[in-house]
Amino acid sequence: MAIRDWPQAERPREKLLSRGAGALSDAELLAIFLRTGVAGKSAVDLARELIGAFGGLRPLLDADLKRFSAAHGLGAAKYAQLQAVLELARRHLAETLQRGEGLNDPMAAERYLRARLRDLDHEVFAALFLDAQHRVLAFEVLASGTLDGAAVYPREVVKAAIRHRAAALIFAHNHPSGSVEPSAADRALTERLRQALATIDVRVLDHLVIGEGPPASFAARGWL
């Protein structure tokens, strides 16, 4: 049955408009993006099939052009549209953090840092630089490495804090393996950075380890 023949309250687009995007399933959200199905399948049917074939919504969204375009009902045009949507989401998160208001919601920083770092295939160490009112001054990648780690030098981090005139920082780095459990090396590095930044009166508010699932927070564990 075509979606236009469904009860109006159950059609994905109308459902979103009346109840909000959070009320929709992954397949329904994807169906709105796809707009149309293929012969014998509605957009929702096609969306369910694609999510199953890719092993979930995230693998579908993370697929490269070749694999994405090879799927039935997709192609280069849809891939370009999807990449544009994902980049819009990242930029929206960035602007949300940079509106000049204090960073009173820790989840806002977490969402942004996850969007920036979660899907990278190499380790990256980055920081959000904040002013005295915890307003975001800048996001900067401080080091990039291989799957085994990234070289981070306290002196360079201190120089970056001075350059941005920061009063506080939130560090974040990703674990490409997916594990969010901080290593002993992660803890030792964070302590070295905290001590180095203390010499210029810059506070480290948190260090987030990004991987699969919710990030690990050093602050939440009482390590800062």
Side-chain angles (χ1 to χ4, degrees):
M1 181 187 295
I3 290 177
R4 64 176 176 271
D5 297 324
W6 293 10
Q8 187 167 347
E10 295 303 316
R11 299 173 194 171
R13 187 178 304 161
E14 286 74 8
K15 188 176 176 181
L16 183 150
L17 292 173
S18 63
R19 297 169 57 186
L24 274 65
S25 68
D26 290 350
E28 289 171 327
L29 288 169
L30 183 59
I32 291 176
F33 169 75
L34 294 172
R35 295 182 59 198
T36 61
V38 295
K41 294 177 184 174
S42 70
V44 174
D45 293 331
L46 177 59
R48 290 192 185 113
E49 181 179 286
L50 289 168
I51 290 171
F54 279 82
L57 182 62
R58 182 181 164 192
L60 170 60
L61 300 183
D62 291 343
D64 60 21
L65 173 60
K66 182 177 180 181
R67 187 176 180 217
F68 185 92
S69 300
H72 185 50
L74 301 179
K78 286 292 185 189
Y79 181 82
Q81 291 173 15
L82 178 61
Q83 294 308 306
V85 169
L86 294 174
E87 183 59 26
L88 282 171
R90 284 189 286 266
R91 295 186 187 189
H92 170 71
L93 287 170
E95 287 191 15
T96 299
L97 290 179
Q98 295 172 351
R99 286 177 181 166
E101 299 178 359
L103 192 60
N104 298 318
D105 178 11
M107 295 300 295
E110 180 181 307
R111 287 190 295 267
Y112 175 69
L113 292 167
R114 287 185 71 202
R116 291 296 299 260
L117 303 180
R118 184 184 64 182
D119 298 322
L120 299 177
D121 60 3
H122 59 286
E123 192 163 320
V124 165
F125 190 95
L128 280 176
F129 295 85
L130 312 174
D131 68 10
Q133 286 74 46
H134 296 171
R135 293 173 298 199
V136 175
L137 298 170
F139 168 85
E140 183 175 333
V141 173
L142 300 170
S144 297
T146 65
L147 288 173
D148 300 318
V152 184
Y153 301 101
R155 180 177 61 184
E156 297 303 316
V157 176
V158 168
K159 287 168 63 176
I162 293 172
R163 183 172 68 252
H164 292 298
R165 299 182 180 180
L169 287 86
I170 298 175
F171 290 121
H173 79 279
N174 65 312
H175 281 174
S177 65
S179 170
V180 299
E181 189 60 30
S183 66
D186 293 337
R187 295 188 64 179
L189 171 62
T190 305
E191 181 58 23
R192 290 199 304 274
L193 294 174
R194 187 193 66 78
Q195 292 178 7
L197 288 163
T199 64
I200 58 168
D201 295 323
V202 174
R203 294 180 57 208
V204 177
L205 301 181
D206 205 351
H207 182 170
L208 300 172
V209 182
I210 310 295
E212 297 290 343
S217 164
F218 279 44
R221 297 189 181 196
W223 295 346
L224 289 171

